[in-house]
Amino acid sequence: MLTSLPQSLHIVQLDFSSGTKRVVESGTEQVLQFYDFTVENSESRSFVVEQIHFVLLISRQGKVRLTKWYSPYTQKERTKVIRELSGMILTRGPKLCNFVEWKGFKVVYKRYASLYFCMCIDQEDNELETLEIIHHFVEILDRYFGSVCELDLIFNFHKAYYILDEILIAGELQESSKKTVSRLIAAQDSLVEVAKEQANSISNIIAQATK
Amino acid sequence: MNPFFSGTRLRDMIRAIRACKTAAEERGVIRKECAAIRASISKNDQDYMHRNLAKLMFIHMLGYPTHFGQMECLKLIASPGFPEKRIGYLGLMLLLDEKQEVLMLVTNSIKQDLNHTNQYIVGLALCALGNICSAEMARDLSPEVERLLQFRDPNIRKKAALCSIRIIKKVPDLAENFLKPTASLLKEKHHGVLITGVQLCADLCNISTEALDYYRKKCTDGLVRLLKDVANSSYVPEYDVSGIADPFLQIRLLKLLRVLGHGDADASDFMNDILAQVATKIETNKNAGNAILYECVGTIMGIEENSGLRVLAINILGRFLSNRDNNIRYVALNMLMRAITVDSQAVQRHRATILACVKDTDASIRKRALELVYLIANESNAQSLTKELIDYLEVSDLEFREDLSANICSMVEKFSPNKIWYIDQMLKVLSEVCC
């Protein structure tokens, strides 16, 4: 039936209580969304306060270098998300815009050398600012590793996570000063160094051996 | 550490994995490593817990199952030293998600760490809580977080503010406890605290109308003044992004002003001056400036009507739309979608440009433009728009045809003046798509 064709494609649920939009899958993989803005009249319009849902670092070959999830996704969903997004992003040409739309969300990505930095945000969020957050993260990594490259992030992946944790919490930005982030990371690194030295000191080894 | 240990180091394991030429070979290396880690775990080998967990995180990133390491995270978090806790919390955030029951077991350790004398340990606990806490944990630990909003070090206060966002999103009933402490965060000088405080304030307003009224009365003028100060501040290297003072803070302030101004003419009036200043004075040759301008346009559209400002905003969008940078064109289309409820005439004026964007080489721009075309369609222009789109259907990319034809069908259905036209258009679409 012809008339049922377009209707079956309007499958977006607007959930005003939580301010989220859900795209309901209906057999087809990609469901078109048309937000009916007449629903959101000025009285009932809820302000969706946005957040970053996850951060991904993918190499040009599609290898995952870092993942951070701020919204609940099961392990299975995570694998699926990574597969789908790397398929979409790695195939995009160089001069196109840095945004892809995906399941009612937006993924902002930027390529630095062999790495793609991706952040998933809500429809209404500021894409240009997210690009700026990605760059903020990259500059801090660069400062920490001294001209960062993919190998640094492979062998010191935990350091990259520590840095990210000083920049984002709960999918929100926590610090706009690169200097402060670097200082906090350095202070924590030196705490670890001090503990290591103590553990490796000769008296400690003797104490362990004679225990 | 035992100097006579024979297992591989993290670095060696990563090297071995990278040296693998086939997937089968990689699986073999990982199977061996996992077996060694399991053995070490069952022996309860204290010295290597740290290294084992680091290895497991790497293995986890490659997509292999690592659930057997979850309890190790809890043990490391419960141990007294900072290095163990640091890696333990990292593992907790990486290997577990909030749906797992194991998480409940960690609540007590987090509670202790939130009260620790070492502020970096407090920071670790706040970070973990903010990233993975469940509703139960939020209820249990909310008093601790509220208290930490007044901690002496600003770096803990900012973490506590973001943690509070997670808590109120999980348990909106707790929002009222945060009203007053958040208001005092807005008066601080430290930018990290301001950024997180403003964000928390916006989330509170989103959740409770009581909060919205409270901040509208108490904080609007303070926030306007703060935005003025930041926008006019002289060069501060620490917060400078390509010549602009702390764009992140400016954007968050603009967002919060939008929430406060919406539906309140007095509050909106109060912020007109600063919005006009930001919209006209900001440098737009760099992304950071455009990000602020984009947010400012959104705020002008979101607050109560001021015709002068609206014209200014629509003009900025027109300028964005003709920009050569694809990112700018994309956000212009995006914002025009929101502007259509405010001033549909102004959006109609850009119809030709929007139609041109439907035919862009960039799939993201095409998709956005297509949705916008659907929104600007009305009784009078639907027929010409339909014709344009059907003509384009013929030459469009294969993967775009699904979206495009669905869109045309919706439009035809919504605006068909008579049955003959309807059937004609549908047949055209079908013949284009099927051949």
Side-chain angles (χ1 to χ4, degrees):
Chain A
M1 267 201 346
L2 278 178
T3 48
S4 71
L5 173 68
Q7 268 158 7
S8 68
L9 289 159
H10 287 249
I11 321 177
V12 173
Q13 285 181 346
L14 292 163
D15 181 355
F16 285 105
S17 56
S18 67
T20 55
K21 294 191 190 100
R22 253 170 227 299
V23 182
V24 183
E25 304 238 3
S26 67
T28 53
E29 266 293 298
Q30 283 265 307
V31 178
L32 255 194
Q33 319 148 239
F34 297 121
Y35 299 138
D36 197 349
F37 276 75
T38 52
V39 181
E40 293 187 43
N41 66 42
S42 60
E43 293 309 296
S44 70
R45 188 156 134 212
S46 67
F47 285 95
V48 185
V49 179
E50 305 91 359
Q51 69 166 86
I52 295 167
H53 294 283
F54 54 79
V55 177
L56 293 180
L57 248 76
I58 317 173
S59 76
R60 214 173 44 194
Q61 288 79 29
K63 292 247 192 250
V64 179
R65 296 302 178 209
L66 181 148
T67 60
K68 189 89 185 174
W69 309 85
Y70 298 103
S71 294
Y73 294 85
T74 61
Q75 301 298 344
K76 231 183 183 166
E77 287 166 340
R78 293 179 188 189
T79 321
K80 195 166 165 246
V81 168
I82 294 169
R83 193 169 358 99
E84 281 184 25
L85 283 178
S86 39
M88 278 170 85
I89 290 170
L90 300 180
T91 51
R92 275 173 70 82
K95 288 220 172 110
L96 307 180
C97 71
N98 296 77
F99 321 124
V100 290
E101 298 189 16
W102 171 80
K103 303 207 160 161
F105 295 102
K106 271 177 198 158
V107 179
V108 177
Y109 70 93
K110 187 152 188 197
R111 183 176 164 181
Y112 290 86
S114 58
L115 282 176
Y116 286 81
F117 288 70
C118 318
M119 292 188 180
C120 173
I121 56 172
D122 289 294
Q123 279 289 344
E124 284 79 10
D125 212 341
N126 189 330
E127 302 88 348
L128 299 178
E129 193 216 5
T130 310
L131 270 181
E132 219 46 65
I133 294 179
I134 290 177
H135 192 67
H136 185 60
F137 180 35
V138 173
E139 282 195 323
I140 294 169
L141 285 173
D142 211 49
R143 220 179 248 215
Y144 184 83
F145 288 105
S147 154
V148 65
C149 68
E150 192 180 340
L151 277 180
D152 290 326
L153 300 184
I154 294 172
F155 285 102
N156 294 296
F157 66 94
H158 49 298
K159 300 274 175 69
Y161 279 102
Y162 293 142
I163 292 171
L164 185 61
D165 282 341
E166 288 295 334
I167 300 173
L168 298 176
I169 288 182
E172 306 286 359
L173 187 71
Q174 66 166 310
E175 183 56 68
S176 57
S177 155
K178 297 173 188 63
K179 203 168 119 194
T180 305
V181 173
S182 305
R183 193 170 50 76
L184 290 171
I185 292 288
Q188 295 178 69
D189 283 353
S190 70
L191 276 183
V192 174
E193 285 306 313
V194 169
K196 231 194 231 166
E197 265 168 37
Q198 273 174 0
N200 286 336
S201 67
I202 297 196
S203 58
N204 201 304
I205 293 174
I206 293 170
Q208 288 241 315
T210 54
K211 197 158 59 180
Chain B
M1 202 171 280
N2 181 355
F4 308 110
F5 176 67
S6 58
T8 49
R9 294 182 307 161
L10 171 66
R11 187 160 275 271
D12 297 331
M13 183 195 79
I14 295 175
R15 277 211 190 95
I17 291 172
R18 283 172 54 77
C20 293
K21 296 212 168 51
T22 62
E25 208 181 317
E26 184 183 284
R27 276 198 296 276
V29 172
I30 286 177
R31 202 181 308 123
K32 241 170 73 193
E33 278 294 343
C34 283
I37 295 169
R38 275 174 198 266
S40 168
I41 289 175
S42 62
K43 266 194 286 176
N44 205 3
D45 206 338
Q46 300 290 330
D47 292 341
Y48 297 104
M49 256 157 64
H50 188 286
R51 177 188 290 178
N52 286 340
L53 185 56
K55 283 181 180 173
L56 278 178
M57 285 192 273
F58 190 83
I59 293 171
H60 177 86
M61 262 201 299
L62 297 175
Y64 295 89
T66 49
H67 48 271
F68 57 88
Q70 290 176 350
M71 291 310 288
E72 293 304 282
C73 301
L74 304 196
K75 282 188 212 155
L76 281 162
I77 290 170
S79 55
F82 177 80
E84 289 78 24
K85 282 185 190 292
R86 194 186 198 194
I87 194 111
Y89 275 117
L90 183 60
L92 183 79
M93 290 186 279
L94 206 61
L95 304 185
L96 276 75
D97 57 63
E98 69 172 282
K99 288 170 187 160
Q100 270 149 343
E101 276 94 34
V102 189
L103 207 52
M104 275 316 284
L105 300 173
V106 85
T107 310
N108 211 27
S109 297
I110 293 187
K111 187 168 185 159
Q112 280 173 8
D113 286 346
L114 289 175
N115 291 301
H116 207 281
T117 48
N118 180 336
Q119 70 165 84
Y120 292 107
I121 291 178
V122 179
L124 289 177
L126 279 174
C127 178
L129 190 62
N131 286 343
I132 56 167
C133 97
S134 59
E136 290 88 2
M137 288 170 89
R139 269 200 201 88
D140 289 347
L141 299 174
S142 174
E144 257 69 30
V145 177
E146 283 163 45
R147 188 177 49 76
L148 290 170
L149 285 173
Q150 278 137 29
F151 195 82
R152 60 180 192 282
D153 187 300
N155 293 308
I156 295 300
R157 293 201 292 276
K158 74 186 185 195
K159 286 188 163 68
L162 293 185
C163 223
S164 311
I165 293 181
R166 175 92 180 194
I167 289 174
I168 57 166
K169 276 185 183 166
K170 291 285 164 195
V171 190
D173 302 345
L174 292 170
E176 60 177 311
N177 301 350
F178 289 93
L179 284 193
K180 289 220 171 78
T182 306
S184 61
L185 293 181
L186 301 179
K187 293 179 193 128
E188 301 222 13
K189 290 272 176 287
H190 188 279
H191 279 220
V193 179
L194 282 173
I195 281 182
T196 55
V198 168
Q199 188 68 49
L200 172 57
C201 192
D203 281 86
L204 281 166
C205 292
N206 190 38
I207 284 166
S208 111
T209 44
E210 190 194 337
L212 180 58
D213 292 337
Y214 180 80
Y215 293 122
R216 201 178 260 155
K217 271 199 211 92
K218 298 241 163 175
C219 303
T220 308
D221 57 339
L223 290 165
V224 169
R225 211 172 325 119
L226 180 59
L227 181 55
K228 238 176 229 163
D229 289 347
V230 182
N232 296 324
S233 73
S234 51
Y235 176 72
V236 185
E238 199 172 347
Y239 298 113
D240 184 80
V241 177
S242 44
I244 290 165
D246 206 338
F248 302 109
L249 179 55
Q250 293 198 43
I251 286 171
R252 269 160 197 74
L253 283 166
L254 285 165
K255 272 187 187 156
L256 179 54
L257 290 181
R258 172 154 80 239
V259 177
L260 297 177
H262 178 72
D264 188 297
D266 290 341
S268 298
D269 247 13
F270 206 78
M271 50 190 82
N272 281 340
D273 284 351
I274 182 66
L275 293 180
Q277 191 209 319
V278 172
T280 47
K281 292 231 175 97
I282 200 93
E283 280 290 334
T284 55
N285 46 11
K286 290 277 166 54
N287 182 58
N290 281 321
I292 296 177
L293 192 54
Y294 176 48
E295 198 63 54
C296 187
V297 169
T299 299
I300 292 172
M301 300 287 188
I303 62 170
E304 293 313 297
E305 172 125 26
N306 172 310
S307 51
L309 274 182
R310 288 267 161 93
V311 171
L312 183 63
I314 295 278
N315 287 344
I316 291 170
L317 288 183
R319 227 165 61 216
F320 270 14
L321 205 55
S322 56
N323 200 301
R324 267 194 318 208
D325 184 339
N326 278 346
N327 287 344
I328 306 293
R329 283 199 296 145
Y330 178 90
V331 298
L333 291 167
N334 207 18
M335 188 58 79
L336 284 172
M337 279 182 74
R338 277 184 260 173
I340 207 155
T341 44
V342 173
D343 187 351
S344 82
Q345 277 308 308
V347 181
Q348 293 287 354
R349 248 177 279 140
H350 297 294
R351 204 170 66 203
T353 324
I354 296 166
L355 263 174
C357 288
V358 175
K359 301 167 190 173
D360 202 272
T361 47
D362 187 331
S364 297
I365 289 184
R366 281 203 302 258
K367 190 163 187 279
R368 190 94 324 243
L370 187 61
E371 285 181 28
L372 190 52
V373 167
Y374 181 77
L375 291 175
I376 57 171
N378 57 30
E379 309 281 318
S380 60
N381 63 19
Q383 298 193 20
S384 65
L385 285 177
T386 311
K387 187 178 177 309
E388 282 261 6
L389 291 183
I390 289 179
D391 287 348
Y392 178 59
L393 191 57
E394 208 176 330
V395 292
S396 65
D397 282 0
L398 276 178
E399 65 262 36
F400 189 50
R401 285 196 185 177
E402 186 184 330
D403 283 1
L404 188 56
S405 46
N407 198 301
I408 297 171
C409 292
S410 309
M411 222 151 78
V412 168
E413 193 186 21
K414 199 166 167 190
F415 298 108
S416 74
N418 54 55
K419 286 207 170 98
I420 293 176
W421 186 79
Y422 176 88
I423 291 169
D424 268 358
Q425 305 308 313
M426 284 298 186
L427 282 176
K428 271 189 205 161
V429 172
L430 283 174
S431 65
E432 287 301 341
V433 174
C434 296
C435 61

